[in-house]
Amino acid sequence: MDLPRKLSELAGSEAVLTTPADLAPFLVDHRRLYQGKAAAVVLPETTAQVARVLAFCNEARIPVVPQGGNTGYVGGATPMDARAVVIALRRMHRIRGVDPENFALVAEAGCTLAAVREAAQQADRLFPLSLGSQGSCQIGGNLATNAGGTAVLRYGMMRELTFGLEAVLADGSVISQLSPLAKDNTGYDLTRLLIGSEGTLGVITAACLKLFPLPQATATAWVAVPSPTAALELLQRLRAAGDGRLTTLELLPDAALQLVLQHIPAARDPAVTPSPWYLLVELEGGGTQDLDAVLAQALAAAGEQGLVIDAAIAASAAQRAGFWRLRESVPEAQREAGASLKHDISVPVANLPRFIEAGAALVARLAPEGFLVAYGHAGDGNLHFNINQRAGADAAAFAQREAPLRRAIHDLVAQSGGSFSAEHGIGRLKVDELRRYASAAELAAMHRIKHALDPHGILNPGKVL
Ligand code: FAD
Ligand code: MLT
Ligand code: ZN
């Protein structure tokens, strides 16, 4: 079969890429863990084109891999079959409509997250999903991974931020639920089933997203705390003092701050008393509220009880941006610093200090060539429990630590009532982990759902299940 010709008939010749040079960027994941293969990449412009391509591939039993901004961490968007067709959504990048009265926005899957946030802001509204990758990740990828980020504490993950979806199923049929309905109990919730399905149940082509009032006031602080236990106590207090306005509570160890200051030229020392742990905290609210005063008062009271060593409240937009740069640059600084072993874990938030203590002991015992850089969304109980190779350590020895350390950490997560994939998904990287930690009943149900919606297994084979 002349596949390129057939795909050109279905989606237009300008939409089909087949040369090795054109395919190359679609065949490797962001972390460069996987080198993939595929027969073609299709860049559709319309939902009808996606539907035609899927109906054809389903008939011909050709694997299809949806791809967004390709910023995912688990290899989910990388095609692994020489016959595969990648459907890359980047040309479906229209904002179909902004509806400020209904606090809703309909975006096509290929819009970047930054573009969606910008469109909301133009209408005096907030779309609150906030990720370090927002300039390149796409809303379709955010939905397919149920992305989290730094504002989940207040606004939730993508599942909570979505009214409904438009998606194409494996057989080319289209489901369209793009109304901004706060209440809709008509049958099974297909939207929330497709969100987080990582391209294995359908190709998302558009979504009706939830908007919020644009905050008029923001208070941001860089806080030195003595321990994760103190950080968690402060979380409780800021939640109470902030009265629903606490948006962000991110935890960073001093090791993360030092990596950022060393490797990111634009990073500036936050100039607070050095401490083993820091928090980036942010409150957002209406224009008349003096949130700086609320934050200062809560931090001062916590300081008197030894929960805070020192704190700096951002006095300008530039200082606020500087604090955020420190937090958002950690992944890049880690990469610059060399090899790292990553674990995207969550535990019930109150268990976090105990988890960190026990996990740190495992790292010291099982990966002596590395040092722990456990940072992230502590307000959600989610840490990137990462280990960086020490300067001068034996790279091969460090790499060999990966499998036993992963097992020990993920077992500890399970014992702590947690998740081995808090926000990055399963993709290809964590298929074995899902098999190990999900119950037989859960796995069987997932397989039955997959088979019902994609009986020929054409959608993103080898991922998730
Ligand atoms: P891709 O990487 O292209 O794809 C991811 C998965 O979704 C794949 O399985 C793919 O097949 C599927 N997919 C993509 N588009 C569609 C579609 N239209 N229909 C169906 N399936 C589709 N993630 C977080 O959750 N929180 C963070 O704080 C965070 N921070 C990050 C910071 C940096 C610097 C980087 C590089 C990544 C970060 N990520 C974070 C990970 C990543 O950005 C998210 O997982 C993001 O949601 C992926 O979007 P994408 O468009 O790049 O998807
Ligand atoms: C983050 O929160 O910074 C990311 O999810 C983790 C990472 O980029 O390693
Ligand atoms: Zn994260």
Side-chain angles (χ1 to χ4, degrees):
M1 181 210 319
D2 185 349
L3 182 67
R5 207 176 109 211
K6 185 69 197 167
L7 293 172
S8 297
E9 280 168 27
L10 300 170
S13 56
E14 71 293 346
V16 181
L17 310 178
T18 51
T19 69
D22 284 345
L23 296 190
F26 299 89
L27 302 184
V28 65
D29 66 302
H30 181 82
R31 290 180 63 194
R32 303 196 169 273
L33 296 176
Y34 301 105
Q35 178 57 55
K37 42 196 171 182
V41 172
V42 183
L43 305 164
E45 270 187 312
T46 66
T47 303
Q49 290 173 349
V50 175
R52 284 201 292 270
V53 171
L54 272 174
F56 160 72
C57 289
N58 194 45
E59 278 296 309
R61 313 286 193 259
I62 293 172
V64 171
V65 180
Q67 192 172 106
N70 202 14
T71 67
Y73 275 137
V74 289
T78 308
M80 303 305 294
D81 186 320
R83 296 173 310 129
V85 170
V86 174
I87 297 186
L89 282 298
R90 62 159 73 138
R91 291 207 305 165
M92 290 189 65
H93 56 68
R94 282 185 316 135
I95 302 288
R96 291 192 191 163
V98 186
D99 181 355
E101 276 191 344
N102 282 309
F103 285 81
L105 175 158
V106 175
E108 291 186 343
C111 292
T112 62
L113 173 55
V116 168
R117 287 177 59 100
E118 177 62 29
Q121 193 170 349
Q122 295 291 326
D124 204 27
R125 294 287 181 265
L126 172 74
F127 181 64
L129 189 77
S130 174
L131 314 181
S133 53
Q134 60 198 30
S136 40
C137 65
Q138 296 174 6
I139 214 72
N142 300 151
L143 289 156
T145 58
N146 186 29
T150 53
V152 171
L153 187 56
R154 177 153 175 193
Y155 296 103
M157 299 175 78
M158 271 310 264
R159 272 200 188 98
E160 284 86 34
L161 297 176
T162 308
F163 285 115
L165 287 183
E166 176 190 89
V168 184
L169 303 181
D171 62 1
S173 55
V174 178
I175 56 170
S176 183
Q177 302 182 335
L178 295 178
S179 281
L181 299 179
K183 293 185 151 184
D184 177 13
N185 275 348
T186 48
Y188 298 139
D189 189 339
L190 299 176
T191 284
R192 261 144 284 272
L193 176 63
L194 280 158
I195 297 176
S197 66
E198 301 184 56
T200 63
L201 298 181
V203 178
I204 296 163
T205 47
C208 183
L209 303 171
K210 292 185 185 171
L211 304 182
F212 295 81
L214 198 58
Q216 303 298 311
T218 305
T220 310
W222 188 268
V223 187
V225 290
S227 63
T229 304
L232 265 289
E233 177 59 32
L234 194 58
L235 169 68
Q236 309 306 327
R237 287 163 179 238
L238 290 174
R239 285 194 100 151
D243 192 20
R245 290 165 298 185
L246 180 66
T247 305
T248 295
L249 186 128
E250 297 281 313
L251 180 70
L252 292 89
D254 188 52
L257 176 63
Q258 297 312 323
L259 283 182
V260 171
L261 293 175
Q262 205 180 332
H263 294 283
I264 307 296
R268 296 284 165 274
D269 194 307
V272 300
T273 308
S275 164
W277 295 93
Y278 301 98
L279 291 173
L280 173 65
V281 299
E282 192 157 280
L283 269 62
E284 287 182 328
T288 54
Q289 297 155 329
D290 187 351
L291 290 184
D292 279 352
V294 172
L295 187 53
Q297 210 175 11
L299 292 174
E304 280 167 19
Q305 282 149 353
L307 298 173
V308 167
I309 294 173
D310 192 8
I313 295 181
S316 64
Q319 200 180 4
R320 174 180 179 237
F323 291 166
W324 272 100
R325 188 176 304 117
L326 293 174
R327 161 62 185 92
E328 292 198 326
S329 301
V330 178
E332 188 185 338
Q334 279 209 297
R335 206 171 37 249
E336 292 292 321
S340 62
L341 312 177
K342 286 175 179 267
H343 309 88
D344 168 32
I345 66 93
S346 67
V347 296
V349 70
N351 298 357
L352 206 56
R354 241 176 307 138
F355 177 86
I356 294 173
E357 197 182 334
L362 288 176
V363 172
R365 185 158 59 81
L366 296 175
E369 300 84 1
F371 62 97
L372 181 61
V373 187
Y375 71 96
H377 322 293
D380 315 323
N382 171 200
L383 285 185
H384 301 300
F385 208 79
N386 298 349
I387 294 94
N388 258 78
Q389 187 184 320
R390 287 182 195 282
D394 181 337
F398 182 63
Q400 283 195 340
R401 304 296 186 181
E402 179 161 21
L405 184 66
R406 185 196 311 126
R407 175 63 55 245
I409 288 180
H410 288 172
D411 282 354
L412 178 63
V413 167
Q415 288 154 23
S416 311
S419 162
F420 65 85
S421 180
E423 59 172 11
H424 295 157
I426 303 296
R428 184 174 162 82
L429 185 67
K430 297 187 180 173
V431 172
D432 290 342
E433 303 302 280
L434 186 65
R435 237 178 252 151
R436 179 180 170 91
Y437 295 106
S439 72
E442 286 162 347
L443 278 174
M446 288 189 218
H447 277 285
R448 285 201 293 268
I449 290 168
K450 169 73 175 168
H451 187 72
L453 290 183
D454 180 18
H456 305 304
I458 63 154
L459 278 171
N460 217 358
K463 313 294 169 56
V464 182
L465 294 173

